Amino acid sequence: MTVALLTDKYEITMLSAALRDGTAHRRTTFELFARRLPDGRRYGVVAGPGRFLESLQQFRFDDAELDSMADFLDSDTLAFLRDFEFTGDVDGYAEGELYFPGSPVLSVRGSFAECVLLETLALSIFNHDTAIASAAARMVSAAEGRTLIEMGSRRTHERAAVACARAAYIAGFDGTSNLEAKRTYGVPALGTSAHAFTMLHTTTTGPDELSAFKAQVAALGVGTTLLVDTYDVTTGVANAVEAAGPDLGAVRIDSGDLGVLTRQVRQQLDSLGATNTAIVLSGDLDEYSIAALRAEPVDSYGVGTKLVTGSGAPTANMVYKLVEVDGIPVQKRSSDKESHGGAKMAVRLSRSTGTIVEEVVYPVGRRPDIAEPSRVVTVPMVRDGKRVFAGDLADARALVASGLKSVPWEGLKLSHGEPAIPTRLIAP
Amino acid sequence: MTVALLTDKYEITMLSAALRDGTAHRRTTFELFARRLPDGRRYGVVAGPGRFLESLQQFRFDDAELDSMADFLDSDTLAFLRDFEFTGDVDGYAEGELYFPGSPVLSVRGSFAECVLLETLALSIFNHDTAIASAAARMVSAAEGRTLIEMGSRRTHERAAVACARAAYIAGFDGTSNLEAKRTYGVPALGTSAHAFTMLHTTTTGPDELSAFKAQVAALGVGTTLLVDTYDVTTGVANAVEAAGPDLGAVRIDSGDLGVLTRQVRQQLDSLGATNTAIVLSGDLDEYSIAALRAEPVDSYGVGTKLVTGSGAPTANMVYKLVEVDGIPVQKRSSDKESHGGAKMAVRLSRSTGTIVEEVVYPVGRRPDIAEPSRVVTVPMVRDGKRVFAGDLADARALVASGLKSVPWEGLKLSHGEPAIPTRLIAP
């Protein structure tokens, strides 16, 4: 499956006009950034660079794609697209990096022609993956070290689901239910059990949960997770321990008042000698309910809908703007959408403790003198069309983990508020 | 790209357990339905059947996929998956059909093994596409016949974007910016112009909007759409008419107070003789702002973010539940997630005027006697694994259009409220 048509028509028609008047070959820089964080969020987590860089290598137009545009494109533009490959440079924030309003998350340099073609694909990947990773990181923070399983594939587009599993893993989730994410990205695949399997063991004399549990244990071993809320949770737990013995791996509760049920189930398991049997909770969990359940004896959370929909912020609202043409900073002047011209980099300042205090965005080549401990956030990703950024998922996970440790304590609050640190822009 | 691994691990492990104890071959019916509409919505629009039926034909496991599961699956299950193809039956609501809480949107019949494997993929497709089509239909209703362009690709996952364009088109949008949707589904591709193209024409002496407009008109003709809000809207409109003459196709406004600007721009265009030049509005539009702009001289709306995020409801919350095993109705008993056992169909009742009044969901084979005009909503889609439902996008568009006409007037209100018609369930 090719990626080059995952593009808005106007990019292609603008290319056509720019080829005709010669401006297509002007040297440009486009910047991908967010003017603001989603409503009330205090930080965001960049996800997407890995997928974007992979897509960039595949961004070629094949014959079928060119044919599909022949009804509205001139032959010069079609010829240009036939030979197209990206030969420019990309810099940006590494996958897993925190970002704030105005952070220059991605800078793409090259001819106008090659940069404008990437607009939609870059935005689609960053807006989606970043929205999911940003929501997931809040859940990770709320779970305080307990296991988190991403299980939202069924609530989002089937291909988006794979990217969601990847983004959640970057943010610190332990695994996913999605098997394609395991194959494509090596995200650990985790699974529990389904109500359908218990109900399948219904006979003319009625439900038979115990048979279902015995069958599952026979096939998957006592380390499996049994779903105990199909009919009655107390009976379900009794059946579970009867089927698997006290070494049962886990029970899952997917409905009801999860806090109350968790305490009851823990007591019942303990009284049955299943003191090491874990409790997995699921059922419309989000960062708030995860935090609210922290005092309960929960071992794992399974998160679905709220993860894949960004917990209220399903897109990161990033934009991709032309900021420089032949070395001249450019910017749009409309009152409510101000952006700042010129190619930029960022440096993040911290205290000696490692707590971050400010992000400074500066014109490329004009790094300010800074007395505090600081780190340049912008890294090279592509040079002359070739990928130079080697970061993988493990690196991204490590970066999120260290990033969350660096946020001032008030920045980790789940309540709505201002960005955790201010961004200062040095004008070109 | 294959589809069989777009599946949750637990479906595969349940299959493994069911193969081992022989229950995998029991005859089952699974039902896909929504317990409720998204918060406050009055109707939903089914989208997904076409994509689901296409995926069903491709649902095979290849060697690479099987290898990726060899670390947790027994050889019997792997052998079963190697030979797997769906051989059962599917009934459901045609693409574009309205649905309400409890509507049996899809019924899948076959062995437990073959039905359970489809759970995640079916839900992913229906939950995504239905959420988008349901939001889009409200926008179509609010636009009252004006042109609607889907341009949200950049705000959602790159593959989800293609499905969004398709779903919006089904709901009545006129076209999309997404070129892959044009190629794959024949959705008309529409395009305007970008701020970047105008800013590209900056020189050392400053911006040169007129040159940009002239270049665009030279390449794309006077019928093109010029984006007039990069610097100053009044100057932009003057430059646009200077570049293209009074036969300019359209101008687009993407920022500012759209109502005020639309009136000003219309007056200015008319005073310049460009009385047939259309006005295209964009910029975070949703069904409410579209409705609020109805009194203004708007010709087209471009809708992005709010369309692809379902305008507050990014997933349709449909579930896929086992309802029948070897002819025995089954259901989960947990208090807050009650579902109703038995395979079902639905008939929709209307007045003689065509206005719908009630949906009756009944056990398969027990259609109730109904005096009012009525229509069985459930149609056959797959028999013995072969697709029998021929509906295409044009059919789906026609069904949405007639469906919206059939809704009682209070059901078309944008404000939150109850479902437009009640659903009555006849118990098995």
Side-chain angles (χ1 to χ4, degrees), chain A residues 73-226:
Chain A
L73 273 190
D74 58 288
S75 56
D76 285 353
T77 307
L78 287 167
F80 177 90
L81 294 177
R82 189 179 303 280
D83 296 333
F84 177 77
E85 61 179 314
F86 182 76
T87 61
D89 297 342
V90 178
D91 294 281
Y93 282 36
E95 188 137 31
E97 191 70 79
L98 301 184
Y99 77 94
F100 301 94
S103 293
V105 168
L106 196 76
S107 282
V108 182
R109 285 190 304 280
S111 69
F112 174 77
E114 61 189 344
C115 295
V116 77
L117 285 178
L118 303 177
E119 176 176 18
T120 305
L121 184 60
L123 284 171
S124 291
I125 292 173
F126 276 84
N127 272 325
H128 177 267
D129 293 9
T130 294
I132 305 308
S134 297
R138 286 160 56 89
M139 297 171 184
V140 169
S141 177
E144 289 190 336
R146 288 173 168 119
T147 300
L148 282 165
I149 309 170
E150 188 283 304
M151 43 172 73
S153 293
R154 62 191 54 200
R155 304 280 186 232
T156 187
H157 183 275
E158 68 274 16
R159 299 282 167 197
V162 184
C164 285
R166 179 183 181 279
Y169 186 62
I170 286 171
F173 272 54
D174 297 273
T176 178
S177 61
N178 189 289
L179 288 170
E180 187 65 54
K182 172 181 192 279
R183 179 174 65 153
T184 307
Y185 300 115
V187 179
L190 303 170
T192 61
S193 180
H195 294 118
F197 185 74
T198 299
M199 295 196 290
L200 173 66
H201 289 77
T202 304
T203 66
T204 48
T205 60
D208 189 355
E209 189 180 53
L210 185 59
S211 287
F213 288 175
K214 285 180 174 170
Q216 184 176 333
V217 171
L220 307 174
V222 296
T224 194
T225 301
L226 294 171

Side-chain angles (χ1 to χ4, degrees), chain B residues 12 32 35 80 127 170 202 223 290 305 309 347 372:
Chain B
I12 306 284
L32 186 148
R35 294 191 181 90
F80 177 89
N127 272 325
I170 286 171
T202 304
I290 289 169
T305 305
T309 57
V347 59
E372 298 95 321

Side-chain angles (χ1 to χ4, degrees), chain A residues 224-248:
Chain A
T224 194
T225 301
L226 294 171
L227 178 58
V228 294
D229 70 344
T230 304
Y231 303 117
D232 174 83
V233 172
T234 303
T235 309
V237 171
N239 281 336
V241 177
E242 182 175 345
D247 295 329
L248 172 63

Side-chain angles (χ1 to χ4, degrees), chain B residues 72 134 136 148 198 205 232 236 247 260 295 312 332 356 362 373:
Chain B
F72 68 87
S134 297
L148 282 165
T198 299
T205 60
D232 173 83
D247 295 328
V260 172
K332 185 169 174 298
I356 57 177
Y362 60 92

Side-chain angles (χ1 to χ4, degrees), chain A residues 272-284:
Chain A
L272 294 169
T275 52
N276 292 318
T277 300
I279 297 178
V280 183
L281 296 189
S282 58
D284 282 331

Side-chain angles (χ1 to χ4, degrees), chain B residues 258-275:
Chain B
L258 294 176
V260 172
L261 285 174
T262 302
R263 286 194 297 276
Q264 288 177 357
V265 166
R266 182 73 271 158
Q267 284 187 336
Q268 187 183 359
L269 286 170
D270 289 348
S271 73
L272 294 168
T275 52

Side-chain angles (χ1 to χ4, degrees), chain B residues 32 44-53 90-100 103-107 125-126 129-130 133-134 166-167 170-171 318 344-348 359 375-382 387-403:
Chain B
L32 186 148
V45 172
V46 173
R51 294 211 306 121
F52 173 68
L53 294 173
V90 178
D91 295 281
Y93 283 36
E95 188 138 30
E97 192 70 78
L98 302 183
Y99 77 94
F100 301 94
S103 293
V105 169
L106 196 75
S107 282
I125 292 174
F126 277 84
D129 292 10
T130 294
S134 297
R166 180 183 180 279
I170 286 171
M318 288 179 173
K344 306 175 199 73
M345 297 177 71
V347 59
R348 194 169 290 163
E359 185 147 309
R375 176 172 69 90
V376 174
V377 189
T378 312
V379 297
M381 294 187 159
V382 174
R387 178 173 178 162
V388 297
F389 177 72
D392 62 12
L393 284 195
D395 297 329
R397 274 170 73 83
L399 203 49
V400 175
S402 68

